[in-house]
Amino acid sequence: MVKKKKQAEFVRWFGPLLDALRELGYSGKPQEVSNKIAEMLNLDDAFLDETLKSGSNRFHNQVAWARQYLTWEGLLDSSVRGTWKLTEKGKETHLTYDQAHALFLKWVEINQQARKDKNKADVILEQAELSPEEVELKAETNLLDVLQNISPSGFERVCKELLREHGFENVEVKGGSHDGGIDGQGVLEINPFVSFKVLFQCKRYKGSVSRAQVGDFRNAMIGRAEKGIIMTTGTFTIEAIKEANREGAPQIELVDGQKLIKMFEKVELGLRPRIIFEVDLSYFNKFKD
């Protein structure tokens, strides 16, 4: 019984997600919405730091699934890429847990019927560990898996290429001793008159980067560069994010696995673009009767 409850744990975010978007003015970026829910419900940091087997953040993945169900129900607008937006129906809708659970069961049934090779238990089980995008696309290999399975030095070299593609110059990987946790450096030119040195650290693993690791990296870069970047295929703990943005200390840019993927996609580094049409089940559902 406990296992089944955990598999559908994201149902409890249906109502809070709608409330969070109302607080944000009816639209917001995915991470912004997750942060607002955590703030409104005063969620514990330990819970917010939990990760899936893939290394991605469990809470944000659950919120993404809540968003997917609300989109199928017509409460969120899926037409704006990268932004979650309430529809007119969504603006007026408030969901109790029981209402959210009924909505969840309705769409599990529709999805199961649309995918004859899956029973309802399989459909729910997929959603416990995979993101909505992974379930829809079902790619044989995904970028995060590839990055997590190359060597640590290979990850440093591919991050070097990524920084170059994003406008950094004179990018070098230090290799060897990894002086103070610094894996490499580069120069970012803002305009012909302004440029600054950037130090970076690459962490290729599925776990979370801690506050102490961010602090150690900052200590290593002080007096040597104006900016620091930590790139990881995993996530950052809440305390690590706070440490990176601590007032009075040099700010450190944090790039987690999900942001890293978007950076690869933006410059199409190691990726071949393809067009994929996703079936809009909410559209076709009105023709069932």
Side-chain angles (χ1 to χ4, degrees):
M1 293 298 292
V2 175
K3 187 176 181 181
K4 287 186 177 180
K5 182 178 179 181
K6 190 168 186 178
Q7 289 169 0
E9 192 175 8
F10 60 83
V11 174
R12 64 173 166 151
W13 310 125
F14 286 21
L17 195 157
L18 295 174
D19 295 337
L21 283 171
R22 275 187 283 268
E23 285 287 322
L24 292 169
Y26 303 130
S27 67
K29 297 295 183 182
Q31 192 62 55
E32 186 181 22
V33 177
S34 292
N35 292 343
K36 177 57 70 173
I37 294 173
E39 174 191 328
M40 292 171 63
L41 298 181
N42 195 28
L43 299 178
D44 185 73
D45 284 356
F47 170 74
L48 296 175
D49 288 337
E50 289 181 10
T51 58
L52 301 171
K53 293 177 182 177
S54 64
S56 59
N57 183 271
R58 182 184 297 278
F59 171 63
H60 184 63
N61 189 67
Q62 289 181 354
V63 175
W65 270 112
R67 174 260 178 189
Q68 184 65 70
Y69 275 79
L70 296 174
T71 299
W72 285 333
E73 189 64 16
L75 302 178
L76 267 67
D77 183 356
S78 63
S79 63
V80 183
R81 185 174 178 81
T83 299
W84 296 357
K85 181 180 179 182
L86 288 175
T87 62
E88 291 303 315
K89 179 182 176 183
K91 291 177 183 179
E92 304 300 322
T93 300
H94 298 264
L95 294 175
T96 65
Y97 179 82
D98 288 341
Q99 290 170 328
H101 195 256
L103 189 156
F104 163 72
L105 292 177
K106 166 188 169 182
W107 284 102
V108 167
E109 175 79 22
I110 293 171
N111 276 277
Q112 188 270 326
Q113 291 177 0
R115 302 166 64 199
K116 296 300 183 182
D117 61 323
K118 298 284 184 181
N119 59 38
K120 292 179 185 177
D122 289 335
V123 171
I124 296 172
L125 184 60
E126 279 185 326
Q127 297 168 3
E129 284 292 333
L130 300 176
S131 70
E133 292 81 6
E134 288 172 317
V135 170
E136 288 294 330
L137 300 181
K138 272 298 183 184
E140 291 184 8
T141 59
N142 66 66
L143 179 57
L144 201 57
D145 283 340
V146 172
L147 292 174
Q148 288 172 344
N149 284 284
I150 61 179
S151 67
S153 62
F155 182 56
E156 292 170 5
R157 295 195 304 274
V158 78
C159 285
K160 169 185 173 180
E161 295 296 322
L162 182 64
L163 291 172
R164 280 180 171 172
E165 291 294 327
H166 279 274
F168 284 75
E169 299 179 354
N170 302 320
V171 185
E172 300 176 0
V173 170
K174 297 178 70 68
S177 62
H178 300 275
D179 184 16
I182 293 175
D183 296 325
Q185 63 185 39
V187 175
L188 181 61
E189 183 178 291
I190 303 301
N191 57 50
F193 300 99
V194 180
S195 63
F196 53 84
K197 182 179 178 182
V198 179
L199 300 178
F200 62 88
Q201 186 180 71
C202 309
K203 291 191 173 295
R204 179 206 57 87
Y205 54 69
K206 295 182 179 181
S208 296
V209 179
S210 69
R211 174 192 174 280
Q213 289 171 307
V214 173
D216 289 344
F217 177 65
R218 176 185 280 121
N219 291 336
M221 62 169 277
I222 289 178
R224 300 165 64 179
E226 295 85 352
K227 196 75 173 177
I229 304 174
I230 300 179
M231 293 175 281
T232 180
T233 54
T235 59
F236 295 92
T237 66
I238 299 298
E239 289 301 315
I241 294 171
K242 291 178 182 177
E243 175 63 24
N245 295 284
R246 179 163 55 87
E247 290 187 15
Q251 187 176 15
I252 297 175
E253 297 294 333
L254 303 182
V255 180
D256 64 11
Q258 297 306 310
K259 187 173 182 179
L260 197 64
I261 288 173
K262 291 178 181 177
M263 292 175 68
F264 272 89
E265 291 175 344
K266 186 172 182 179
V267 295
E268 297 182 9
L269 181 63
L271 301 171
R272 289 190 295 269
R274 61 175 179 170
I275 297 175
I276 296 177
F277 291 96
E278 175 184 333
V279 176
D280 184 354
L281 293 176
S282 62
Y283 173 79
F284 289 103
N285 185 55
K286 60 190 176 186
F287 298 105
K288 289 174 66 68
D289 298 326

